[in-house]
Structure formats: structure tokens, C-alpha cells
Amino acid sequence: MQQRQLGSLQVSALGLGCMGMSEFYGSGDEAESVATIHRAIELGVTFLDTADMYGVGRNEELVGRAIADRRDRVVLATKFGNLRGPNGERLGISGKPDYVRQACEASLRRLNVDVIDLYYQHRVDPETPIEDTVGAMADLVREGKVRYLGLSEAGPQTIRRAHAVHPITALQTEYSLWSRDPEDEILPTVRELGIGFVPYSPLGRGFLTGQIKSVDDLAADDFRRNSPRFQGENFQKNLELVREIEAMAREKGCAPSQLALAWVLAQGDDIVPIPGTKRRRYLEENAGALDVTLTRDDLARINRIIPPGAAAGTRYPVPGMKMVGL
């Protein structure tokens, strides 16, 4: 497995997003999820991504069980900041220093580990100065509870202010062939500061795999049903983009998902995508993207097929969009 650098943290070139194992993408199978994590480690995919809000803590517990006997082979990332009640209700965002410590202690217990390798603020708290939040996160580093710090969906000025308090190792945000906004300001900012970039949803929440032909392919409780890009005319327009990718993938002798992931990987050695899956067969397909070589002509052609801004619809409904880029 190829290795890449997120700041001074070395990780596998491809990570594994574990969110869907516990929530959001229909029902899960815990045994298959654990087997998927184990298979990832066998393949050399050692960078695992979770968060305290996924499954209201259940995802961290699942990941903790899966890595209990192989902790030394994993770079473990989790996040805090999205508050949820015991029944999953959304309670807002917090970056308050006392809450940072409380959230970290809870994550360490659920994961059953002594230290978190990469600890992200999941969403920026507009009511708490980022200096206060990162200051509390830095205390956790000094105490040996966290090794490296990250931010998720933060804007350029917030990133700069945070990095001035304590080195930020990675910025996580959505980035894929149909979510290219980070190219405008985010990527130049993190590169200037030496911060690694971790794209989540690099397969457009599964849309770019070509597996989703109709919204009826999604489970009734799948959160993508509420996503503007999966609704009405937007769905059909985005499906036309995927057909172009499918045609090019056939010519390249690879799966559409592999072509889409190879494109993300080709955007820089400081980029480590974390495609999520809860099944071994998709994990293995995603890992195959590392064997797909895209020429300069290939990249230019992809840019013509799906130029920046080509996707129809915003990536979240209105309330979700208000929480990104702060």
C-alpha cells in the first residue's frame, strides 16, 4: 500500500470511512462491517475515520471492537462537535473548551484506546472562538490523549487562526468530481500551511459508482433521499454525468468508482481520500483505484466531462450548508 503524508502524520494513501456502518446509509451488518475493517487492514488501508456522532457513539464502539487486537496497525481518526441526544436528535454544535475535553474522554472510552491519532473538530462552532477550541485540543495533545489535530469543513480564515494556535495536521472536507469547491481557496490555503487534505465522500456519496440508477435504489431511511443532488431533476442531470464517467471507465478497463477515486488521488500527494463502505467487495474495488493510472490527457478529458460546478444541486440541504465553510 502506498503511503502519504498528512502534515507530519504518515497514513495509507487511501483511508476507510466507517460512518455508514452505523447510520445514514440504511441498515448495517456489524459482522460484515468488522470483517470490512479487518480486510482493510490486511490490504494496508490503515487510516480509519469515525466520529462520535455516527450512530450516536455506536460507530466508535464498533471500530474500537474491530481494532482491539490490532491497534498498532491503525491510524485512528475521530471527531467531536456535532451534539446529538440519546435518540439521535440534533442539538447543535459545540467547540467550548470544557466540551472538547468531555467529548475526547467519551471517545477514548468508546474506542477503548489510550490515544486518538487524529482528532478533528467536526464542524466549526460559530459561538466559540476557534482559538479557544484549538487551545483545548492542544491541551489534549500535551496530555498524550491525542497525537495530531484536524478540522473539518472549516473556512480559510478559520484554518489560519487555528493553525496559529497549534499545528493543524489535516483538513477534512467533501471533495470529489462533483464537489470541487475546495479547489478555489481551501486547497491553496492548506498547501501554503503544510496541512494535509482528507476528502470525504470522494465517490459523491456513492453516486459516482454508477450503482444508483434511481432514488428507489436507496433505503427508506437513507439520508441521501434528503440530499438536493439526489432529488428530482437534479438526480437526472447528475446521472448524465455519471454515464460519461462510466463510458470512460469502460475504456480504461476499470470501475467508475475506481476512475473517480483515481482522479481524487491524482490531485496531489497531500490528498488522502476516505471512501466509506460497509462491505468487503466495495472496499476491495475502491483499493483497486490505486492501480489506475490517469494520463494528462485523461485528466483533461475528465475535466471536460465534469468541470467544476457541473453537479446539479447543493451537497446538503439548506441547514447543512449553513454549517460548512465557517
Side-chain angles (χ1 to χ4, degrees), residues 205 223-229 231 314-324:
R205 295 187 169 82
F223 92 110
R224 289 173 291 187
R225 284 179 173 268
N226 297 316
S227 169
R229 291 185 176 175
Q231 295 175 335
T314 56
R315 53 196 182 96
Y316 287 109
V318 171
M321 290 304 296
K322 289 180 179 177
M323 295 163 57
V324 301

Side-chain angles (χ1 to χ4, degrees), residues 101-118:
R101 176 171 296 279
Q102 175 190 332
C104 180
E105 298 284 3
S107 286
L108 287 167
R109 285 194 300 273
R110 284 189 293 264
L111 291 162
N112 195 28
V113 297
D114 297 323
V115 62
I116 294 164
D117 296 313
L118 177 58

Side-chain angles (χ1 to χ4, degrees), residues 140-286:
L140 298 172
V141 175
R142 285 187 282 272
E143 293 167 21
K145 294 174 180 175
V146 170
R147 292 179 62 214
Y148 297 94
L149 303 184
L151 300 175
S152 178
E153 291 287 7
Q157 294 310 311
T158 300
I159 296 166
R160 291 182 186 280
R161 288 168 55 197
H163 194 66
V165 174
H166 185 280
I168 299 300
T169 293
L171 177 82
Q172 183 175 140
T173 192
E174 184 172 350
Y175 184 52
S176 70
L177 277 171
W178 75 347
S179 292
R180 295 179 60 176
D181 298 350
E183 294 173 355
D184 297 335
E185 293 186 82
I186 297 294
L187 272 170
T189 299
V190 297
R191 284 177 167 153
E192 176 192 333
L193 299 173
I195 298 170
F197 186 71
V198 178
Y200 72 83
S201 296
L203 294 174
R205 295 187 169 82
F207 209 114
L208 298 172
T209 66
Q211 300 290 323
I212 302 169
K213 306 296 186 187
S214 160
V215 73
D216 294 327
D217 291 335
L218 305 176
D221 60 347
D222 193 307
F223 92 110
R224 289 173 291 187
R225 284 179 173 268
N226 297 316
S227 169
R229 291 185 176 175
F230 285 79
Q231 295 175 335
E233 290 183 7
N234 289 345
F235 187 99
Q236 294 306 316
K237 289 178 181 176
N238 291 330
L239 200 57
E240 291 171 15
L241 299 178
V242 173
R243 288 182 180 131
E244 297 277 0
I245 291 297
E246 287 176 318
M248 185 171 174
R250 281 193 295 272
E251 293 175 28
K252 295 286 292 182
C254 66
S257 59
Q258 293 171 332
L259 183 68
L261 273 178
W263 179 87
V264 175
L265 287 160
Q267 301 312 302
D269 291 339
D270 54 350
I271 292 179
V272 180
I274 49 168
T277 184
K278 51 189 174 182
R279 296 183 181 89
R280 282 169 285 182
R281 63 188 178 108
Y282 293 132
L283 166 80
E284 290 168 355
E285 182 176 284
N286 291 343

